[in-house]
Amino acid sequence: MIKIAIIGFGTVGQGVAELLIKKKNEIEKKIGEFKVIAIADLTGAILGDFKLEDAIESRRRGKLPENREAIDVAEKEDYDVMIEVTTTKLDESGIMYMKTALRKGASVITSNKSIAVALTDLLKLAEKKSAKLLYEATVGGAMPVIRLLNSYLALCEIRSVKGILNGTCNYILTRMEEEGLPYHQVLSEAQEMGIAEANPSADVEGIDAAIKLVILANTMGITAKFEDVEREGITKITPQAFKVAMQKGYTIRLIAEVSKKYLRVSPRLVRINSPLAIKGTLNALMINTDTAGEIFVAGRGAGKFETASVILSDLYELFRTRNS
Ligand code: HSE
């Protein structure tokens, strides 16, 4: 029986719980029986013999029923894998939960981009404890990239990875391109529609894309920190810039690029017929390799079930060999 602890029970955590209910049979056929033995977040915890439905219901009504701190649950409960889906803050909070699990020899699956500041340490700790850290959900949501680099392309030299790592910016730029509207108008409409956050600065200033780029770089074996990323956001792009670009067969996209030489997030001209001229909130990446040529991937970079589906994919990856 696989014992799972879920730390963080907001949108993604609840999405994971809903998929674990909905896909229980398929999951168990592939990796064997599992049980969520604990869920904890800032509102409290639920432990022992409980139904996932009840946990979701109680969280929706306000809080989880037991008065236990997530770190205490992470330290004291007995689980094989921690699903760490707390909110990304570039500090130690999420990392503390992950380290606690790994030190006990439990594996960790996370969607928390905070790993950008500690990926190498966390991977070393996991190896030392014969555990695993899986983090496909941190970069590009449902778009596959981490396992693609680590596994499918493991024996290729990755020359560069470049593309779109922020759906909010891509949505804004797409509408500026298609409707000739100014940045601030599209931003406020995107906020009204719930696509852009009330405080959009992490997205529109390229911070979110830069964090994801750092995770990609370190996955590729390039030691990099957030400060190493040359970064410019999309706030200064005008409808006029689009007009000039379009006349020459180009559009403008916020492109994140990592190679051995540099890490950069900036608005760049992209040929209108390039796959990277992708529209809407999608994410997309072009991976340039020595022997496999160019590989293009695209997908939904965010969303409750999209992110939860990737967490399930990591769960499968972690346990798939156990039954064979
Ligand atoms: N704010 C992010 C985006 C969400 O717009 O892509 C996923 O990290």
Side-chain angles (χ1 to χ4, degrees):
M1 170 80 78
I2 298 164
K3 285 174 280 178
I4 301 172
I6 300 178
I7 304 295
F9 208 45
T11 308
V12 177
Q14 290 178 40
V16 170
E18 284 178 51
L19 288 191
L20 289 175
I21 297 167
K22 194 171 159 199
K23 291 181 176 268
K24 184 173 166 49
N25 289 342
E26 291 95 314
I27 298 168
E28 294 199 327
K29 251 187 240 157
K30 299 235 189 259
I31 62 169
E33 278 189 279
F34 72 87
K35 183 170 167 54
V36 178
I37 57 96
I39 302 176
D41 70 2
L42 293 174
T43 72
I46 185 163
L47 300 131
D49 219 5
F50 64 90
K51 281 189 158 170
L52 284 173
E53 288 87 342
D54 295 340
I56 295 168
E57 186 50 33
S58 107
R59 185 65 182 81
R60 279 196 190 140
R61 274 190 270 113
K63 62 196 275 301
L64 291 170
E66 291 186 45
N67 207 3
R68 285 267 304 271
E69 289 203 7
I71 190 65
D72 189 52
V73 170
E75 273 166 12
K76 300 203 180 121
E77 297 305 317
D78 174 29
Y79 50 89
D80 303 300
V81 54
M82 170 190 284
I83 294 181
E84 198 282 346
V85 282
T86 63
T87 324
T88 295
K89 294 194 202 90
L90 279 197
D91 60 15
E92 292 285 314
S93 57
I95 291 164
M96 189 172 64
Y97 301 131
M98 295 185 223
K99 282 190 174 160
T100 304
L102 293 172
R103 279 194 201 110
K104 286 161 63 117
S107 290
V108 172
I109 296 171
T110 189
S111 60
N112 191 335
K113 288 170 272 182
S114 310
I115 59 162
V117 298
L119 187 56
T120 319
D121 286 353
L122 287 167
L123 288 170
K124 270 192 207 144
L125 178 59
E127 196 178 349
K128 193 170 142 203
K129 295 291 179 176
S130 306
K132 292 234 165 82
L133 169 72
L134 297 178
Y135 54 96
E136 183 71 61
T138 58
V139 180
M143 172 181 71
V145 60
I146 303 295
R147 195 137 51 246
L148 190 59
L149 294 172
N150 276 341
S151 178
Y152 185 75
L153 299 174
L155 296 180
C156 287
E157 181 199 334
I158 309 294
R159 291 181 172 150
S160 68
V161 179
K162 82 168 177 188
I164 287 141
L165 290 176
N166 187 271
T168 306
C169 289
N170 210 61
Y171 174 84
I172 293 172
L173 295 176
T174 304
R175 286 203 53 198
M176 289 179 74
E177 168 197 315
E178 289 181 337
E179 298 169 50
L181 296 170
Y183 165 77
H184 285 288
Q185 184 181 336
V186 182
L187 173 63
S188 356
E189 285 179 26
Q191 284 171 315
E192 276 162 31
M193 292 162 74
I195 290 174
E197 301 203 16
N199 178 359
S201 57
D203 289 317
V204 297
E205 284 167 19
I207 296 168
D208 176 73
I211 293 168
K212 292 167 182 164
L213 198 64
V214 169
I215 298 174
L216 276 184
N218 285 289
T219 303
M220 292 159 62
I222 299 169
T223 308
K225 300 188 297 294
F226 180 72
E227 296 73 33
D228 299 326
V229 184
E230 288 171 50
R231 177 173 55 83
E232 189 188 328
I234 62 165
T235 54
K236 293 188 198 121
I237 299 174
T238 60
Q240 182 60 18
F242 266 103
K243 213 167 158 194
V244 174
M246 303 287 284
Q247 276 161 1
K248 300 198 163 138
Y250 289 89
T251 184
I252 302 169
R253 289 292 182 265
L254 184 71
I255 299 293
E257 181 168 13
V258 50
S259 70
K260 284 195 187 98
K261 291 199 193 112
Y262 58 81
L263 284 95
R264 183 190 295 158
V265 173
S266 58
R268 282 163 70 175
L269 292 172
V270 173
R271 279 223 163 269
I272 203 79
N273 57 1
S274 157
L276 291 181
I278 203 157
K279 293 181 188 267
T281 57
L282 286 172
N283 282 204
L285 285 174
M286 191 65 86
I287 303 168
N288 190 306
T289 74
D290 58 347
T291 47
E294 283 193 320
I295 292 174
F296 176 74
V297 284
R300 298 220 177 120
K304 178 179 179 179
F305 292 115
E306 288 83 350
T307 309
S309 84
V310 182
I311 301 278
L312 255 52
S313 167
D314 276 349
L315 188 68
Y316 169 71
E317 178 63 19
L318 192 55
F319 293 106
R320 75 192 163 100
T321 48
R322 233 160 87 146
N323 291 349
S324 58

